Amino acid sequence: MAVNLFQNMLFTSVISKKMVLSVVIKGAIFFLIFLLLSFFGLSANKTFIPILQAVFSLNILGHTIKFLIFNQRVINTFNDLKNLFANDDLKSNIQTHTPQILRIYIDYECTIAWGLISLDESLFGEMNDSIENEWKSIKTKFNIQ
């Protein structure tokens, strides 16, 4: 279970890191559009501005912030898992590490459920080979079979 989790988290962390820039750029573009609409022409409409502000702040800015939090949580949990696999006695004494494995697994699954983030499938396809090579390197480093 821990090895499968390690591989899943590797893919999630690499792809979400790669997505950060595009998500931030999209958020910034929508923010600029919002500012332009607010300042030019729509500022006279007293009803439209509160609606526009609510929709923008909840959807666009909220999604950008949520994605950044999601990305950081995935990275932190992935680092916890790497630290776990760095323990010399993990393979020989796996039972003592079961609570830590379960905590990391629950942290990861809760982050995925909380974030409801769809990772970019085209990015996944594009990066699949390089991530698989990184996974092979990690398996060698941590002596995972």
Side-chain angles (χ1 to χ4, degrees), residues 92-134:
S92 63
N93 202 4
I94 190 79
Q95 292 80 10
T96 60
H97 298 284
T98 300
Q100 189 177 6
I101 293 168
L102 291 174
R103 183 193 55 78
I104 293 169
Y105 176 79
I106 290 168
D107 286 348
Y108 176 68
E109 289 298 328
C110 286
T111 299
I112 297 295
W114 168 81
L116 295 173
I117 303 293
S118 295
L119 296 177
D120 188 333
E121 289 184 35
S122 63
L123 197 55
F124 176 84
E126 177 184 313
M127 298 184 70
N128 189 37
D129 291 339
S130 66
I131 299 172
E132 279 295 335
N133 288 335
E134 187 175 347

Side-chain angles (χ1 to χ4, degrees), residues 25-116:
I25 288 172
K26 286 177 190 174
I29 289 170
F30 280 108
F31 182 70
L32 289 173
I33 291 170
F34 166 74
L35 286 177
L36 291 172
L37 290 175
S38 297
F39 288 125
F40 300 108
L42 297 177
S43 60
N45 189 334
K46 302 284 185 200
T47 315
F48 187 72
I49 294 298
I51 294 170
L52 183 63
Q53 288 173 336
V55 168
F56 172 75
S57 64
L58 293 176
N59 288 328
I60 307 304
L61 189 58
H63 176 73
T64 302
I65 292 169
K66 189 174 189 179
F67 182 83
L68 294 173
I69 293 169
F70 169 85
N71 183 56
Q72 192 57 52
R73 285 183 182 177
V74 167
I75 290 168
N76 291 342
T77 307
F78 186 60
N79 288 335
D80 290 346
L81 192 61
K82 285 194 286 190
N83 290 336
L84 173 69
F85 273 84
N87 285 329
D88 293 332
D89 71 331
L90 179 66
K91 284 186 179 181
S92 63
N93 202 4
I94 190 79
Q95 292 80 10
T96 60
H97 298 284
T98 300
Q100 189 177 6
I101 293 168
L102 291 174
R103 183 193 55 78
I104 293 169
Y105 176 79
I106 290 168
D107 286 348
Y108 176 68
E109 289 298 328
C110 286
T111 299
I112 297 295
W114 168 81
L116 295 173

